[in-house]
Amino acid sequence: MKKVGKPVFFVVVALIAAFATLSYTGIYTQFGDITTARIKGVQEIRLGVDIQGGVDVTFFPADDYDADSYEMAAAAAVISQRLLLQNITDYELFPDFDRNRIILRFPWQAGEADFNPVRAIEELGATAMLAFAEGMEMGEDGLPAGAIILTGADVQSARASTGQIDQLGTIESFVELTLRESGRVAFAEATGRLIGQPISIWMDDRMISAPTVQAHITDGTAIISGGFTPADATALANQIMGGALPFSLETDNYNTISPTLGMGALQAMLLAGMIAFGFISIFMLLWYRASGFVAIIGLVGQLAIMIAALTGFFPFIPAFTLTLPGIAGIILSVGMGVDANIITAERIREELASGKTLDGAVATGYKRAFAAIFDGNITLIIVAVILMGSFGPPTNPFAQLLSWTIFRGFGPTTAGAIYSFGYTLLIGVIANFVMGIFACRLMQRSLCRLSLMRKPWLFGGERA
């Protein structure tokens, strides 16, 4: 068994302390009246409607346009995508097909005291920009780098369907695309020239699909396929139709949602959490002594990782909307972290009672506790993945993962509160693995090698 050096404890503690401080405070630079976040802190967390308040607005087609249900669903898809691109997951969107209305509730922007709801509403309801372009590259201006083949004005309809599209008799979902006369010649020329190459589809400067041209299409009707589920095909058809809509959305009124109740609930939950953490820390210190001290440091690190995953601290993880259910996910995962440390501490105590040396008890205790901790955390990870895949946007990787299971029948949904709970639960469990199993083991094996700590009772054993 390879020994862990004495300085390791202090190195790990210093790293956790530095990371926790940065994840909370962040680093900001000031140039004139412009503040730039170099490292995002806790103030960057976007709070959901149930905490911070927001806007309640009803959209309808401009100029009294009589939209059908397909067009209204497409308009709702445009709004949904624009919200998701800003990582706003806690919103409620209800298309009313009978009255040609779309009802939306979405949260305030984090940290914007001068948030302008009128401008936000105008941006969400603006006509979507759709383009079919050669290749898949994006230019420096954020627009497609390849030549534009079609725009939204050239698209007549896009419908999701399921059936046989090849000679093998395979049944799959696809999108039926029908072009207007204005786009048929350009599309025929492009498909004849680009067989075997991709034609990318862009909406609002974002590529939503890149099908490969399989044949020369001259009649203005095409099929877009690619192993889609019914939910995938519907989502893509709605997005294309959203960019082909002959109308924009407008509203004649909106209401602001008071955050008072939500903020009160948030403050109560934070206070309760701090009190609970204090009592847990005292209990861990008194009952498990050195093992409890290490556990407290690990729990601080776990909380820091969860905060960082919400703020956008990590470049590969975008900022995320925090809701009250999301806070419940944090509390549950911290509880699992406490449970993991208690299991480990009890195993170490049992090994010391059986007569093992301090080094052997710590090493064996972590080894024996790992199976129980792993089983409990893997169970929670599975639950979190199912929640995020079933109640999140259809483009998220977990929705794609579950698209081939029984959950494909759920269809696309963005129940942000449930998705937020699953997200914080998943991040918390992963943080528990990193801190409770890896970091705490390093700290404790290093700590027990210090001469001042070479007393078994400090790690839960009996006094000599």
Side-chain angles (χ1 to χ4, degrees), residues 68-374:
D68 60 26
S69 59
Y70 287 105
E71 291 173 326
M72 292 304 294
V78 172
I79 295 175
S80 176
Q81 176 172 300
R82 287 172 174 170
L83 291 166
L84 291 174
L85 285 175
Q86 300 178 47
N87 290 295
I88 302 176
T89 61
D90 179 45
Y91 65 87
E92 299 172 15
L93 189 64
F94 308 103
D96 184 346
F97 300 118
D98 294 331
R99 299 191 303 120
N100 279 1
R101 295 292 187 268
I102 298 175
I103 299 94
L104 170 67
R105 300 175 71 217
F106 65 97
W108 301 111
Q109 294 279 354
E112 288 192 12
D114 59 344
F115 175 71
N116 187 338
V118 175
R119 185 176 67 246
I121 290 168
E122 290 175 349
E123 292 174 355
L124 289 171
T127 303
M129 302 300 294
L130 179 74
F132 287 64
E134 296 184 17
M136 301 169 57
E137 292 76 22
M138 176 186 291
E140 294 182 359
D141 56 359
L143 298 174
I148 302 299
I149 302 169
L150 302 172
T151 66
D154 299 317
V155 176
Q156 179 174 320
S157 67
R159 299 284 187 269
S161 186
T162 299
Q164 178 182 336
I165 62 174
D166 57 32
Q167 312 235 345
L168 300 176
T170 306
I171 303 297
E172 61 178 288
S173 297
F174 54 88
V175 175
E176 294 180 289
L177 180 67
T178 303
L179 302 179
R180 300 182 189 277
E181 194 66 39
S182 60
R184 293 182 181 181
V185 174
F187 194 65
E189 187 278 330
T191 54
R193 180 168 47 85
L194 300 173
I195 292 178
Q197 300 180 50
I199 291 180
S200 54
I201 306 173
W202 301 73
M203 190 177 76
D204 286 346
D205 304 335
R206 175 177 177 265
M207 187 171 66
I208 58 176
S209 184
T212 300
V213 179
Q214 303 291 339
H216 185 199
I217 300 171
T218 60
D219 61 355
T221 60
I223 287 177
I224 303 174
S225 62
F228 295 145
T229 65
D232 295 332
T234 299
L236 179 58
N238 283 341
Q239 288 177 318
I240 294 175
M241 278 297 295
L245 292 176
F247 62 88
S248 60
L249 295 171
E250 61 181 29
T251 182
D252 54 8
N253 64 79
Y254 68 90
N255 298 313
T256 56
I257 304 170
S258 172
T260 304
L261 179 61
M263 290 302 292
L266 175 63
Q267 292 169 359
M269 293 180 75
L270 290 176
L271 179 60
M274 288 188 290
I275 293 173
F277 190 85
F279 277 113
I280 289 170
S281 299
I282 293 172
F283 168 77
M284 296 289 285
L285 281 172
L286 293 177
W287 192 251
Y288 297 110
R289 298 178 275 279
S291 296
F293 177 64
V294 169
I296 294 169
I297 298 173
L299 290 173
V300 171
Q302 182 179 344
L303 283 169
I305 291 176
M306 286 187 282
I307 291 173
L310 290 168
T311 61
F313 180 97
F314 302 111
F316 54 88
I317 302 179
F320 200 84
T321 302
L322 179 64
T323 66
L324 292 180
I327 295 175
I330 293 175
I331 293 173
L332 177 57
S333 59
V334 170
M336 290 297 295
V338 173
D339 182 62
N341 282 286
I342 288 177
I343 291 174
T344 303
E346 286 292 341
R347 293 294 184 270
I348 293 173
R349 174 176 285 184
E350 291 172 2
E351 295 301 319
L352 289 171
S354 69
K356 274 196 171 66
T357 63
L358 181 58
D359 291 327
V362 170
T364 306
Y366 271 96
K367 184 176 180 180
R368 289 184 57 200
F370 178 78
I373 297 171
F374 181 82

Side-chain angles (χ1 to χ4, degrees), residues 345-423:
E346 286 292 341
R347 293 294 184 270
I348 293 173
R349 174 176 285 184
E350 291 172 2
E351 295 301 319
L352 289 171
S354 69
K356 274 196 171 66
T357 63
L358 181 58
D359 291 327
V362 170
T364 306
Y366 271 96
K367 184 176 180 180
R368 289 184 57 200
F370 178 78
I373 297 171
F374 181 82
D375 289 346
N377 282 274
I378 284 296
T379 301
L380 281 184
I381 286 177
I382 293 172
V383 170
V385 167
I386 290 175
L387 291 177
M388 295 180 68
S390 303
F391 298 99
T395 54
N396 86 77
F398 301 111
Q400 299 293 327
L401 179 66
L402 297 179
S403 64
W404 301 104
T405 68
I406 59 173
F407 296 97
R408 66 186 298 174
F410 281 25
T413 178
T414 48
I418 300 176
Y419 185 61
S420 179
F421 174 78
Y423 178 84

Side-chain angles (χ1 to χ4, degrees), residues 15-50:
L15 290 175
I16 291 175
F19 174 68
T21 301
L22 282 177
S23 66
Y24 183 81
T25 62
I27 295 179
Y28 298 84
T29 57
Q30 188 80 25
F31 184 77
D33 58 350
I34 300 176
T35 302
T36 303
R38 301 300 179 185
I39 297 178
K40 295 182 178 180
V42 71
Q43 60 266 43
E44 298 296 322
I45 295 177
R46 175 186 290 278
L47 300 178
V49 172
D50 54 357

